[in-house]
Amino acid sequence: MRVCRFLCDDLVLTGFLDDDVVIPIDQAAEMYSRETETEMLLSATEDLLDLLPPDGQSYEQAKRLYDWIEELDVITVSELTIPLEEVRVLVPLPSPRKMLFLAGNYGKHLAERGYRDTEREETFPYVFMKPPSTTLTHPGDPIVIPAGSPDQIDWECELGVVIGRTCRDVSESTALEHVAGYTVVNDVSDRAFRPNPGRKPRERDKFFDWLHGKWHDTFCPMGPCILSAEAVPDPQALPIKLTVNGQIKQDATTAEMIFPVAAVVSFVSRFVTLEPGDVIATGTPSGVGSATGVFLRPGDVVRATIAPIGTLENPVRAETEDEFRAPFLG
């Protein structure tokens, strides 16, 4: 079950995403009630967590509705669908409390970046954060290359894990019970960010240059939907691909993670209480631009795909001279 948020006639609605169309959930519920003579009660909500496991108040109804739609004939379904070009798909979670990201969770990516590949038993996940309100970017909206540091803007396609139940210090064996679903994240990175070029060098400059290079406005496209957890029996068996202008840059599988999803959730929960709506991006495979010296430029189009979740597409443009750095999610 793929659920999304979308804008139609200035209204934010929820829907089921299906390739190049969206099915509004409220209209589908009306048809279900009419055709089955069984009232389908779904609370009015813009929060996709209400429709998802493990604790969504309307999850059972939404899943029943989705399964019913799957059994309809093509003609009947067409009465419900809206072509994607007629709506604006939005980030599935407009204001997550926390957005946590893993660095170096794929061995081949570590190698291409010049670091030693390592075994899981020898290390631990490196976790950092991004500011949600200014980095989150809708599907279809532009990644904006900052005027002050435009030359090494890189892509990173990642599996995003959406937390659905509060958890603290959970075991790896039970960690996935707290997951609502999965989405696609592009952890855009500025590899050359150097605040204050005339600075006096300090011991940790390199780390903070790297960290701050993750924080530019628009540097976290997310979407186009959330695939519910029950539809993903094994999150380590998902193909992951990213293209720039149609050219394949990343082509891997989540099986290549050093720390699998369950281990990541368990690890983070040891020292951070994870809450519904938190997102953990689980690292990127090899194929980033810094490995070859090829980076994003204005006019590029980036497509990040994780089947069966979907494709997250964003154009790239330069920051304008008079552009004020305000939140881009308005």
Side-chain angles (χ1 to χ4, degrees):
M1 182 172 70
R2 297 193 295 173
V3 293
C4 68
R5 298 168 62 249
F6 64 98
L7 192 66
C8 184
D9 297 329
D10 295 324
L11 294 175
V12 176
L13 303 173
T14 59
F16 298 121
L17 186 66
D18 184 12
D19 296 330
D20 57 352
V21 299
V22 65
I23 298 175
I25 288 178
D26 57 349
Q27 294 184 27
E30 289 180 9
M31 177 181 282
Y32 177 95
S33 298
R34 185 173 62 251
E35 295 294 326
T36 67
E37 298 183 349
T38 303
E39 188 173 17
M40 169 66 71
L41 295 176
L42 281 167
S43 59
T45 182
E46 295 179 15
D47 189 348
L48 296 185
L49 292 179
D50 289 339
L51 308 172
L52 292 167
D55 297 329
Q57 61 181 344
S58 296
Y59 167 61
E60 296 296 336
Q61 297 96 318
K63 183 64 169 61
R64 185 165 70 251
L65 180 61
Y66 176 82
D67 291 341
W68 177 76
I69 292 172
E70 288 288 283
E71 298 298 321
L72 296 177
D73 60 76
V74 174
I75 295 177
T76 303
V77 171
S78 66
E79 297 177 20
L80 293 170
T81 59
I82 303 175
L84 284 182
E85 59 264 26
E86 296 181 12
V87 303
R88 181 189 181 200
V89 178
L90 305 175
V91 291
L93 298 162
S95 53
R97 295 176 179 177
K98 294 185 284 296
M99 293 201 310
L100 303 159
F101 292 74
L102 261 66
N105 196 31
Y106 286 75
K108 292 180 182 178
H109 174 56
L110 285 172
E112 73 177 355
R113 295 277 291 148
Y115 301 104
R116 181 175 66 90
D117 190 2
T118 188
E119 296 297 324
R120 171 181 169 179
E121 292 74 15
E122 299 173 346
T123 186
F124 62 92
Y126 290 172
V127 184
F128 65 96
M129 302 181 75
K130 285 192 175 190
S133 63
T134 48
T135 59
L136 267 179
T137 300
H138 298 296
D141 280 6
I143 298 166
V144 179
I145 294 180
S149 183
D151 296 328
Q152 294 188 32
I153 308 304
D154 209 344
W155 54 82
E156 295 188 19
C157 183
E158 308 196 6
L159 175 67
V161 180
V162 180
I163 300 299
R165 174 182 294 165
T166 299
C167 58
R168 179 72 163 85
D169 198 21
V170 297
S171 67
E172 186 171 338
S173 62
T174 63
L176 296 185
E177 297 173 9
H178 300 80
V179 173
Y182 302 89
T183 190
V184 183
V185 174
N186 189 351
D187 173 22
V188 182
S189 305
D190 181 352
R191 306 293 190 193
F193 193 49
R194 301 291 183 271
N196 187 11
R199 65 200 180 184
K200 180 181 178 179
R202 292 186 292 174
E203 180 181 356
R204 291 179 289 175
D205 281 3
K206 184 177 181 181
F207 168 76
F208 282 100
D209 287 344
W210 171 85
L211 180 62
H212 296 157
K214 299 281 190 176
W215 289 358
H216 294 301
D217 292 348
T218 75
F219 271 28
C220 185
M222 182 185 295
C225 64
I226 299 174
L227 176 64
S228 56
E230 94 285 334
V232 185
D234 182 3
Q236 306 312 137
L238 302 176
I240 181 169
K241 180 182 292 187
L242 182 140
T243 65
V244 178
N245 304 327
Q247 182 178 1
I248 296 175
K249 300 295 185 180
Q250 295 182 287
D251 191 2
T253 168
T254 55
E256 298 176 24
M257 289 182 188
I258 297 171
F259 294 94
V261 170
V264 171
V265 173
S266 175
F267 173 78
V268 174
S269 76
R270 293 182 198 170
F271 56 95
V272 176
T273 297
L274 292 172
E275 303 167 288
D278 288 350
V279 178
I280 304 175
T282 51
T284 199
S286 60
V288 296
S290 57
T292 59
V294 177
F295 297 99
L296 293 175
R297 293 287 182 262
D300 287 346
V301 176
V302 184
R303 289 172 56 89
T305 302
I306 301 178
I309 301 171
T311 295
L312 172 64
E313 180 176 314
N314 296 90
V316 180
R317 70 166 175 84
E319 182 180 36
T320 60
E321 291 184 5
D322 59 349
E323 190 168 46
F324 180 74
R325 286 178 174 79
F328 283 79
L329 276 181

